[in-house]
């Protein structure tokens, strides 16, 4: 797969991301994608040939390999990276839609199309939920399928056509466990980044709404005080006017 093309496509998300979003994107492409392409794939390229079982029964090693590795780590992580990065395309598509709408109408309905206001704010927030959810889901799948995140040095297999319980040895289990835990930890950190960013966005919006509501209340109170002062001024001037009218009436009579 052309991972460089995906990186170039998502690099524009930095223009619309917060500090946490930029840290998340850097972690995904440096500590996950780059490590996956350069090192992780080569650590698992011999998982089938490197599995040795103490039997020469035809088909036994193949059946045991399928039982030990129901799904390849590398393919699972490749799917995870694809699913995790795809929600960011929602933000890019929404910004492009705004730009295209302004261009089509010849107006400036969105002076800053990348500003997270209105529908784009919700799109960005939903993309964070999806990214964190996908990462958490794939971590659970990995843990459920392999009964943990650590591969054993020795596994026992008794599936047909194996003649009895045979011992199977995984190739380079220590190296694979190191890379497995590295990918697990980086995935967990990415989830935390998404949670921090969601908290930041929601908190910032709540503060803005609170300040706007507070300013509106102060504005209303100021207007009420102004109106009350005007009424008081009018009330204090009223007796003077009435007395002048009475004096005028008496003189005329």
């Amino acid at each position: 797969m052309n991972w460089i093309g995906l990186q170039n496509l998502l690099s524009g998300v930095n223009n619309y991301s917060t500090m946490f979003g930029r840290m998340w994107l850097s972690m995904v492409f440096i500590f996950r994608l780059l490590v996956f392409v350069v090192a992780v794939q080569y650590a698992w390229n011999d998982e089938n040939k490197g599995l040795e079982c103490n039997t020469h029964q035809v088909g036994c090693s193949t059946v045991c390999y399928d039982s030990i590795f129901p799904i390849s780590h590398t393919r699972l992580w490749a799917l995870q990276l694809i699913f995790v990065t795809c929600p960011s395309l929602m933000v890019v598509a929404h910004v492009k839609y705004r730009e295209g709408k302004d261009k089509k109408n010849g107006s400036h309905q969105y002076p800053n199309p990348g500003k997270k206001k209105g529908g784009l704010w919700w799109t960005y927030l939903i993309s964070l939920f999806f990214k964190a959810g996908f990462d958490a889901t794939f971590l659970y799948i990995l843990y459920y399928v392999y009964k943990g995140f650590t591969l054993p040095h020795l596994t026992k297999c008794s599936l047909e056509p194996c003649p009895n319980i045979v011992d199977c040895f995984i190739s380079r289990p220590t190296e694979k466990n190191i890379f497995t835990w590295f990918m697990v930890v980086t995935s967990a950190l990415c989830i935390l980044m998404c949670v921090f960013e969601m908290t930041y966005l929601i908190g910032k919006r709540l503060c803005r709404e609170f300040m706007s509501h507070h300013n509106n209340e102060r504005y209303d109170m100021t207007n009420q005080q102004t109106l009350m002062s005007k009424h008081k001024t009018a009330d204090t001037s009223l007796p003077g006017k009435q007395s002048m009218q009475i004096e005028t009436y008496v003189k005329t009579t």
Side-chain angles (χ1 to χ4, degrees):
M1 180 176 179
N2 188 4
W3 296 105
I4 303 299
L6 180 62
Q7 181 180 3
N8 294 333
L9 181 62
L10 294 177
S11 59
V13 181
N14 269 334
N15 300 328
Y16 325 120
S17 300
T18 64
M19 177 187 66
F20 295 107
R22 295 187 183 95
M23 292 173 62
W24 178 90
L25 196 62
S26 300
M27 186 172 294
V28 167
F29 283 107
I30 296 176
F31 293 100
R32 294 177 67 178
L33 181 58
L34 187 61
V35 172
F36 175 79
V37 173
V38 174
V40 173
Q41 285 183 317
Y42 294 98
W44 265 269
N45 63 354
D46 63 340
E47 57 182 345
N48 193 358
K49 297 178 181 179
L51 183 68
E52 296 182 0
C53 299
N54 58 353
T55 181
H56 295 289
Q57 178 67 37
V58 177
C60 180
S61 297
T62 303
V63 172
C64 291
Y65 170 79
D66 185 67
S67 175
I68 297 169
F69 296 101
I71 181 172
S72 173
H73 284 68
T74 55
R75 292 179 179 87
L76 186 65
W77 286 327
L79 285 175
Q80 182 178 359
L81 288 171
I82 293 172
F83 274 87
V84 165
T85 53
C86 279
S88 298
L89 297 177
M90 297 167 54
V91 180
V92 177
H94 198 144
V95 174
K96 296 299 181 184
Y97 167 77
R98 283 184 167 187
E99 293 175 350
K101 192 173 182 180
D102 277 351
K103 186 177 180 180
K104 181 179 179 180
N105 297 334
S107 61
H108 294 283
Q109 184 178 355
Y110 305 103
N112 186 3
K115 191 171 183 179
K116 292 182 289 294
K117 294 183 66 176
L120 184 60
W121 187 89
W122 286 103
T123 301
Y124 194 89
L125 187 66
I126 291 172
S127 70
L128 293 176
F129 275 107
F130 275 115
K131 287 189 287 189
F134 284 138
D135 262 335
T137 301
F138 277 95
L139 284 179
Y140 174 77
I141 292 173
L142 182 65
Y143 182 86
Y144 178 80
V145 170
Y146 290 98
K147 304 300 186 291
F149 298 122
T150 304
L151 293 175
H153 291 72
L154 170 66
T155 60
K156 296 184 179 295
C157 179
S158 58
L159 300 174
E160 295 182 357
C162 298
N164 48 33
I165 299 177
V166 298
D167 297 330
C168 296
F169 302 88
I170 299 174
S171 173
R172 296 180 293 170
T174 302
E175 181 184 12
K176 291 177 180 178
N177 285 330
I178 291 173
F179 281 117
T180 299
W181 276 104
F182 180 85
M183 297 297 286
V184 168
V185 170
T186 52
S187 298
L189 289 176
C190 286
I191 294 175
L192 287 178
M193 289 295 173
C194 290
V195 173
F196 290 156
E197 190 170 12
M198 285 188 287
T199 305
Y200 170 76
L201 288 174
I202 295 174
K204 186 178 179 180
R205 179 153 186 172
L206 289 177
C207 289
R208 188 185 298 115
E209 293 292 335
F210 174 78
M211 292 300 296
S212 177
H213 180 70
H214 182 67
N215 291 335
N216 289 336
E217 286 185 345
R218 291 183 60 184
Y219 179 76
D220 293 338
M221 291 179 62
T222 304
N223 288 339
Q224 290 178 0
Q225 291 176 355
T226 304
L227 291 175
M228 290 177 64
S229 63
K230 288 182 178 180
H231 285 303
K232 288 181 179 179
T233 304
D235 292 339
T236 54
S237 61
L238 184 59
K241 291 182 178 179
Q242 290 179 347
S243 61
M244 291 177 64
Q245 292 176 356
I246 294 172
E247 290 179 358
T248 304
Y249 175 77
V250 170
K251 289 180 180 181
T252 54
T253 56

